[in-house]
């Protein structure tokens, strides 16, 4: 019987730095046959342009799933895509980057309730990226009754945790963040990072996932009728507009948007064509933190 292909689930709240970490993992896996499944909550895919594909990565090895969360609305697509990749390719591993609003539990369940998939693939680890600057606000965010706090679930089910953006928080703040993390997950291996720069061999190929531990967290983890509901107050807005933008006008628009609504905006990202420039600009933001570059 062929060895099962290890699968790493890369999760974390919106803007934590998952795609940055994904790029670091891909660079470290040079020469290996790695399939990447990218899931975006919004209807317009951006992360496809942010992932630095290696020369040997062809279209079949990078799959983008838009307009739905891998833990619920497009979960069936995940099973079909994984099964297709595993049947057509001899792979060394699979990386699944979830949306920032994904609960890892239904994704974990997928590898145990689908017998065909479980015979071909094994869950190697759930790696959670945490934004040190904003995580406590997200953990304390009030939710409607029956809605899970995804930031909590992502930490609870983590086998490895990358505490990212530590350069934005002082030591006392980091100690407070780690205390909150430990209250949710006493045993997780925490790696502090700036720009998701961590030893990749601490994250992948570790056979770190334990079903026994996951069942201690959620005894109903493998129940196929388990309920899961996203917060209906969180939504995405996508803009796809042809033509070039005026640089001064777009800067003024972003400044006003973030000043007036930045606290309510979990994540912004996009690619802009600006009048007078041959190259396009990439912008990213988390709440009121914002950056852009060619």
């Amino acid at each position: 019987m062929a060895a099962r292909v290890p699968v790493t689930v890369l999760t974390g709240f919106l803007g934590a730095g998952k795609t940055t970490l994904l790029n670091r993992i891909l660079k470290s896996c040079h020469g290996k046959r790695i399939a990447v499944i990218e899931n975006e909550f919004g209807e317009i895919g951006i992360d496809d342009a942010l992932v630095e594909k290696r020369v040997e990565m062809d279209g079949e090895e990078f799959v983008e799933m838009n307009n739905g969360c891998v833990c619920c609305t497009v979960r069936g697509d995940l099973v079909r895509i994984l099964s297709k990749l595993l049947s057509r390719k001899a792979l060394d591993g699979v990386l699944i980057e979830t949306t920032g609003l994904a609960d890892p539990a239904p994704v974990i369940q997928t590898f145990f309730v689908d017998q065909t998939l479980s015979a071909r693939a094994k869950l190697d680890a759930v790696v959670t990226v945490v934004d040190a600057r904003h995580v406590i606000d997200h953990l304390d965010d009030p939710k409607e009754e029956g809605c899970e706090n995804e930031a909590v679930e992502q930490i609870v089910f983590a086998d490895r945790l990358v505490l990212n953006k530590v350069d934005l928080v002082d030591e006392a703040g980091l100690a407070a963040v780690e205390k909150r993390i430990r209250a949710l997950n006493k045993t997780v291996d925490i790696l502090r990072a700036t720009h998701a720069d961590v030893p990749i061999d601490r994250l992948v190929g570790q056979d770190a996932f334990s079903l026994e531990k996951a069942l201690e967290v959620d005894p109903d983890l493998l129940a196929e009728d388990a309920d899961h509901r996203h917060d209906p107050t969180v939504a995405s807005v996508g803009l796809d507009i042809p033509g070039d933008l005026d640089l001064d006008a777009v800067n003024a628009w972003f400044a006003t948007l973030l000043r007036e609504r930045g606290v309510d905006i979990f994540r912004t990202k996009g690619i802009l064509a600006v009048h007078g420039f041959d190259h396009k600009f990439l912008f990213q933001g988390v709440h009121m933190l914002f950056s852009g570059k060619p």
Side-chain angles (χ1 to χ4, degrees), residues 72-203:
C72 46
T73 56
V74 295
R75 187 175 169 199
D77 293 342
L78 172 63
V79 174
R80 287 189 291 273
I81 290 168
L82 271 171
S83 298
K84 184 177 179 180
L85 285 170
L86 293 170
S87 64
R88 293 178 59 185
K89 290 233 176 230
L91 296 173
D92 295 311
V94 177
L95 295 170
I96 300 173
E97 182 185 346
T98 74
T99 78
L101 295 174
D103 176 356
V107 182
I108 293 170
Q109 184 196 70
T110 300
F111 290 91
F112 294 94
V113 300
D114 187 287
Q115 298 302 313
T116 301
L117 187 58
S118 64
R120 294 176 174 175
K122 67 172 183 176
L123 188 56
D124 185 69
V126 175
V127 177
T128 299
V129 186
V130 168
D131 178 346
R133 172 75 177 271
H134 296 104
V135 64
I136 290 181
D137 290 337
H138 295 154
L139 293 176
D140 292 338
D141 191 18
K143 298 293 181 180
E144 291 188 6
E145 185 177 355
C147 293
E148 294 175 345
N149 185 322
E150 291 87 0
V152 171
E153 297 300 305
Q154 290 161 359
I155 292 174
V156 164
F157 284 102
D159 300 304
R160 298 285 187 270
L161 189 144
V162 177
L163 183 57
N164 199 28
K165 307 184 185 181
V166 297
D167 56 316
L168 303 180
V169 183
D170 61 22
E171 187 58 37
L174 291 174
V177 168
E178 291 187 351
K179 183 177 180 180
R180 289 292 300 272
I181 291 170
R182 288 295 180 207
L184 295 169
N185 190 329
K186 292 181 174 60
T187 61
V188 68
D189 189 9
I190 300 175
L191 292 79
R192 291 187 179 187
T194 299
H195 302 301
D197 190 2
V198 293
I200 302 304
D201 59 5
R202 299 268 306 271
L203 303 180

Side-chain angles (χ1 to χ4, degrees), residues 266-282:
F266 287 138
R267 184 76 164 115
T268 53
K269 57 184 172 180
I271 298 172
L272 305 176
V274 178
H275 180 71
F277 292 86
D278 294 331
H279 52 265
K280 295 183 179 180
F281 288 83
L282 164 68

